[in-house]
Structure formats: structure tokens, C-alpha cells
Amino acid sequence: MRDRFIQTLCTLAESDPRIMLITGDLGFAVLDDYRKRFPAQFINAGVAEQNMTLVATGMALEGHIVFTYSIGNFPTLRCLEMIRNDAAYHGANVKVVSVGGGFSYGALGISHHATEDLAIMRSLPDVMCFSPTSLGEVTEATKAITKTPGTCFLRLDKDKGPDGPHTEPFVIGRPRLLRTGKNVALFTTGGILTEVMAAADRLQMMGITSSVYSVHTLSRVEPDRFVQASRSHAALVTVEEHTVTGGLGGLVLETLADAQALPAKFARMGLNCCFSSVVGSQTYLRTVYGLDASSIVSRVQRLLQT
């Protein structure tokens, strides 16, 4: 996903000199092409992410569109006060890019497990949060945040799912329908779409058909897709590589509650209110915390049987 982001940003920077990229002393192999082609639109702020955010805010208030770039929680949680008080409060065109959502950096431990960022960032007023599930959505999300006024958050994953049907365009705030079924609606965000699609394949072999939705935007979300799914499926399940508190599951429940369309059967799958103290690969951690395809299949089966 990070490669696709940089490729897209290079294309945008060619025609828009307002675009600036600031890195917190990370990503050099990935950023080499951008840095060489646009030296006047690139800054290495060093290992000083909070200062990076302040510099970005100042440049944005002077007319630039500024992308801050770092891994895991470093550009978000470490810089939360600066994002809130300086960038978002002033409506600055600061685009916070976090590479390595969820367990992408699983072997580096809890400091690098980005498992609360969506809940925290989407709680900030006027901050648009994007969490693409595929490479095509990374391209569209990068274009969208460039055009969207104000502060935005782009969460990129190590993993990536399939782009799905081209008949479903990328529209800010509208989940994309990637697969149609009648028994269960599966809503997901980020690269864990790979596990969700694998689970949907297994469920189909058992005679359980699934509708799969990519929730690539977690701000200003249109309620229609959630409401329609709630009324047309026996159960709804949300899957996220993130804590279940305040993330995608919370978003879907909040939206359905406001629309008075809560489903009879609903389950949130994510990190269950604990710190991810185990280390290992992203694939391994998904298995440990019950977020792999087999766990999704089992959860759906139990839910439908209740």
C-alpha cells in the first residue's frame, strides 16, 4: 500500500506544487523516487514527529497541502495534541499518513501495533479518516485527501485485499459492495479484507452466502448501505485489525442506532479491549487474536445458529 501511495503522490505532485511531503526520518527506499523528483517539495524532519506536525501545520496555513509520513502510531498517537490543537482546530491542510496499520509491524511489539488509531482519529472533529482495503482504494483515497479541505488521516496496511468490481466506484463516505450474498453482511476496513474474502469463500462452500463491504472511509459515512444490509441479511459482522472499542464496529452500531435500524444479530470482531502483548508476523497475530479467516467463519456460524 505504501508503494501505491507514493506512486500516486508523485503523479499528483507533478501538477500541483503546493504538495509537500514530510517524513519523520523513515521510508527512504520507498520515498527515493519522490525525493529525487521533487526535492523542493520534500522535507526530512528527523526523529521528531511532533515537530514534523507543527511544521506541516505552519506550511499548510501558508497555502501548501502537506503530507506527514511515518509508521504505526508515530504520526498519530505521538502527535495527537499537535494534530488536534494546531492542524485540525485551524482547518489546516495536513494529511497524516500512517504506514503499518494494525499488526503490520507485528514483530516489533505493542509500540508498533497501531490498534487504537482509528478510534482516536475519527473522534477528532473535522478530521476525515480513510482506511483503504486494496491498492485501487489507496490510489483513490490519496487523490481524495488531496482534494479534501482540512486535516485528514490515511491509514495504510502492509496487507491488501482485492479491488473488487469496477462497478463500485470510490465515493467518500460510501462503503463499497465487493460481493453479494443473502445470509450475512461482512463490513471490514484495511488490509484484513484478505481474511474476510477468504472467510466468505469458505462460508459459501458451507451454503452460507455473504455480502462483503469495504468501509474505506470512517468519517461522514452515508448510512444507507448499513441500513440496507441490516434489513436484508440475517446477521451483520464487522471485522477490523483494531480494538473493537470505537473503531469500525462502533461506527456501524452508532450509524444503525441513529437510523433505528439495529439488526437482530450483530458481532464485532477485533482486538477485545486488551493490549496486543504478543509479537510475531501480521498473519500470526491475526490467528492469535481470532481475526483470521477460520475465526471469522466460526463466528459467523455461531451467530447464525443463535
Side-chain angles (χ1 to χ4, degrees), residues 234-267:
L236 264 68
V237 177
T238 60
V239 184
E240 56 194 310
E241 202 165 308
H242 183 274
T243 176
V244 295
T245 304
L248 173 62
L251 168 66
V252 175
L253 279 175
E254 292 161 13
T255 305
L256 291 174
D258 287 343
Q260 297 185 356
L262 288 170
K265 297 181 178 182
F266 187 94

Side-chain angles (χ1 to χ4, degrees), residues 74-136:
F74 298 171
T76 52
L77 274 62
R78 182 173 290 179
C79 306
L80 182 58
E81 181 179 353
M82 292 73 194
I83 294 171
R84 177 184 183 271
N85 294 357
D86 298 286
Y89 182 68
H90 294 94
N93 270 329
V94 175
K95 318 303 178 184
V96 180
V97 181
S98 173
V99 181
F103 298 130
S104 295
Y105 288 96
L108 297 179
I110 185 175
S111 63
H112 287 63
H113 297 172
T115 52
E116 301 86 27
D117 52 344
L118 287 174
I120 292 169
M121 294 299 288
R122 84 175 186 91
S123 72
L124 297 176
D126 300 324
V127 174
M128 290 293 294
C129 297
F130 295 82
S131 178
T133 63
S134 65
L135 294 183

Side-chain angles (χ1 to χ4, degrees), residues 64-244:
H64 291 281
I65 302 171
V66 190
F67 290 78
T68 60
Y69 179 99
S70 191
I71 65 171
N73 298 313
F74 298 171
T76 52
L77 274 62
R78 182 173 290 179
C79 306
L80 182 58
E81 181 179 353
M82 292 73 194
I83 294 171
R84 177 184 183 271
N85 294 357
D86 298 286
Y89 182 68
H90 294 94
N93 270 329
V94 175
K95 318 303 178 184
V96 180
V97 181
S98 173
V99 181
F103 298 130
S104 295
Y105 288 96
L108 297 179
I110 185 175
S111 63
H112 287 63
H113 297 172
T115 52
E116 301 86 27
D117 52 344
L118 287 174
I120 292 169
M121 294 299 288
R122 84 175 186 91
S123 72
L124 297 176
D126 300 324
V127 174
M128 290 293 294
C129 297
F130 295 82
S131 178
T133 63
S134 65
L135 294 183
E137 288 188 356
V138 171
T139 298
E140 295 304 318
T142 305
K143 293 177 181 177
I145 65 175
T146 304
K147 297 176 182 177
T148 302
T151 303
C152 298
F153 171 47
L154 176 61
R155 186 188 201 241
L156 301 178
D157 205 312
K158 180 180 179 181
D159 198 4
K160 62 184 184 300
D163 281 315
H166 296 293
T167 53
E168 280 287 321
F170 182 99
V171 178
I172 294 176
R174 183 171 178 79
R176 292 178 66 235
L177 178 62
L178 305 181
R179 181 172 183 151
T180 302
K182 63 179 181 179
N183 300 116
V184 60
L186 302 172
F187 288 91
T188 190
T189 191
I192 202 169
L193 172 64
T194 55
E195 303 289 347
V196 173
M197 293 300 279
D201 288 338
R202 296 186 196 181
L203 287 167
Q204 185 165 355
M205 290 189 289
M206 301 173 184
I208 300 171
T209 60
S210 311
S211 294
V212 178
Y213 295 85
S214 165
V215 188
H216 50 72
T217 315
L218 285 89
S219 306
R220 304 175 196 168
V221 179
E222 298 177 7
D224 295 359
R225 281 262 154 109
F226 298 145
V227 172
Q228 290 169 3
S230 178
R231 291 173 176 167
S232 59
H233 295 76
L236 264 68
V237 177
T238 60
V239 184
E240 56 194 310
E241 202 165 308
H242 183 274
T243 176
V244 295

